[in-house]
């Protein structure tokens, strides 16, 4: 590990929990390095313990997904002392980018007075979200909560809609509670609607796919989702 040099120039994103680096030559291949950095406000011993626990939890949940046939980045190596995960770089694009491309193409067609009445999503987009719904349903059936479902955290390998890769399990956890599963869906719904206007149809397709995995589970989770939505609306009204 000490032979691998990581610098600030290689940072491609940074959040509250850590940084993400891109290495262009990690033993001959591109590699993503995720770093969980220390929190200065925590006692060093506690901070080190929590960092290791969360790193191990993330690795375990990624492995559990792969065991169920859910595609995730391959893990190359981990450094528990430094809080580093070395993982596969996914060639392709995020679902967010894929949808933006479709939206931009649609807007260009509108500007050229081409098919003004067709402002919906095409079959590929609808099929994509059914696939995504099935994967989330499979995760929830196996008690895995992603914790940060957004269109940025779902990748398409080689931009193919049937090669979906779930990424960023830093907030993932294991639970049997339908409430947690409903919140997982609600987080994605809110992220989808805020990033891609008029995307209600996509989420409807996602729920169709979700229901196909486990009809019994999906009924109770979707019922909980309605309750979570109601709480969200009340909260936004109060401000």
């Amino acid at each position: 590990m000490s032979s691998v040099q990581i610098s600030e120039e290689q940072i491609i994103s940074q959040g509250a929990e850590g940084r993400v680096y891109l290495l262009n030559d990690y033993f001959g291949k591109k590699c993503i390095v995720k770093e969980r950095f220390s929190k200065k406000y925590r006692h060093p011993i506690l901070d080190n313990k929590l960092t290791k626990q969360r790193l191990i939890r993330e690795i375990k949940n990624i492995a559990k997904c792969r065991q169920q046939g859910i595609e995730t980045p391959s893990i190359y190596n981990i450094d528990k002392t430094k809080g580093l995960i070395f993982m596969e770089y996914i060639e392709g694009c995020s679902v967010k980018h894929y949808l933006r491309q479709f939206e931009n193409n649609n807007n260009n067609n509108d500007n050229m007075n081409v098919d003004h009445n067709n402002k919906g999503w095409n079959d590929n987009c609808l099929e994509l979200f059914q696939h995504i719904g099935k994967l989330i349903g499979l995760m929830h059936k196996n008690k895995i909560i992603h914790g940060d479902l957004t269109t940025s955290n779902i990748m398409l390998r080689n931009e193919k809609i049937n090669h979906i890769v779930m990424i960023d399990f830093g907030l993932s956890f294991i639970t049997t509670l339908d409430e947690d599963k409903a919140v997982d869906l609600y987080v994605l719904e809110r992220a989808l609607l805020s990033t891609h206007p008029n995307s209600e149809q996509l989420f409807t397709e996602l729920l169709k796919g979700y229901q196909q995995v486990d009809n019994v589970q999906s009924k109770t989770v979707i019922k909980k989702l309605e309750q979570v939505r109601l709480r969200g609306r009340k909260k936004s009204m109060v401000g």
Side-chain angles (χ1 to χ4, degrees):
M1 279 306 163
S2 59
S3 62
V4 179
Q5 298 298 317
I6 301 174
S7 65
E8 289 189 0
E9 288 75 18
Q10 295 165 305
I11 295 175
I12 56 174
S13 68
Q14 179 168 331
E17 294 295 320
R19 303 182 187 92
V20 177
Y21 302 83
L22 172 62
L23 305 185
N24 285 310
D25 187 8
Y26 180 74
F27 299 104
K29 62 182 72 174
K30 279 187 175 181
C31 172
I32 292 293
V33 181
K34 186 173 181 181
E35 176 192 25
R36 281 187 173 272
F37 45 64
S38 62
K39 301 295 180 66
K40 303 301 181 184
Y41 59 83
R42 288 198 296 238
H43 188 282
I45 295 176
L46 175 62
D47 181 74
N48 186 51
K49 181 181 179 180
L50 289 174
T51 298
K52 285 183 179 179
Q53 286 177 345
R54 290 171 180 174
L55 183 144
I56 291 169
R57 182 177 63 189
E58 182 173 357
I59 294 294
K60 284 183 175 179
N61 290 339
I62 289 173
K64 190 169 184 179
C65 282
R66 292 179 73 85
Q67 288 170 1
Q68 299 303 321
I70 300 165
E71 197 170 352
T72 62
S74 298
I75 304 299
Y76 297 146
N77 217 328
I78 63 171
D79 186 333
K80 288 187 280 188
T81 303
K82 296 180 179 178
L84 302 175
I85 305 175
F86 293 75
M87 66 183 78
E88 175 190 10
Y89 172 80
I90 305 299
E91 295 284 357
C93 70
S94 66
V95 170
K96 178 180 179 180
H97 178 77
Y98 183 88
L99 295 181
R100 282 276 167 80
Q101 282 186 316
F102 175 81
E103 289 168 331
N104 290 338
N105 289 339
N106 236 20
N107 289 336
N108 289 338
N109 286 341
D110 283 347
N111 292 335
M112 295 170 62
N113 296 319
V114 176
D115 198 4
H116 275 262
N117 294 320
N118 181 21
K119 295 184 181 293
W121 302 93
N122 67 12
D123 289 344
N124 284 343
C125 293
L126 301 180
E127 182 182 347
L128 168 61
F129 272 79
Q130 276 214 28
H131 287 322
I132 293 172
K134 289 176 184 177
L135 292 179
I136 297 172
L138 189 55
M139 287 170 58
H140 288 179
K141 186 176 182 179
N142 287 278
K143 308 179 183 64
I144 305 165
I145 302 298
H146 185 279
D148 190 20
L149 286 172
T150 68
T151 51
S152 296
N153 286 338
I154 307 173
M155 299 290 295
L156 301 180
R157 191 184 295 278
N158 300 320
E159 302 192 22
K160 303 293 185 183
I161 63 170
N162 58 342
H163 287 169
I164 300 167
V165 185
M166 308 298 287
I167 67 169
D168 197 356
F169 285 78
L171 298 177
S172 64
F173 60 96
I174 301 298
T175 184
T176 59
L177 297 179
D178 291 332
E179 173 86 8
D180 291 328
K181 296 170 185 177
V183 170
D184 214 25
L185 289 172
Y186 181 70
V187 168
L188 178 54
E189 182 181 34
R190 298 313 304 165
L192 183 62
L193 291 173
S194 64
T195 310
H196 309 283
N198 306 313
S199 55
E200 292 87 353
Q201 187 182 13
L202 296 179
F203 195 75
T204 297
E205 292 300 313
L206 183 146
L207 291 181
K208 287 180 183 177
Y210 187 85
Q211 290 172 296
Q212 291 175 31
V213 177
D214 187 333
N215 191 46
V216 175
Q217 169 190 262
S218 65
K219 285 180 179 178
T220 56
V221 172
I222 291 172
K223 189 174 181 180
K224 284 287 184 182
L225 175 60
E226 290 296 335
Q227 297 172 10
V228 173
R229 284 168 169 165
L230 183 60
R231 292 202 302 268
R233 285 195 290 270
K234 287 181 178 178
K235 187 175 180 181
S236 63
M237 288 173 67
V238 172

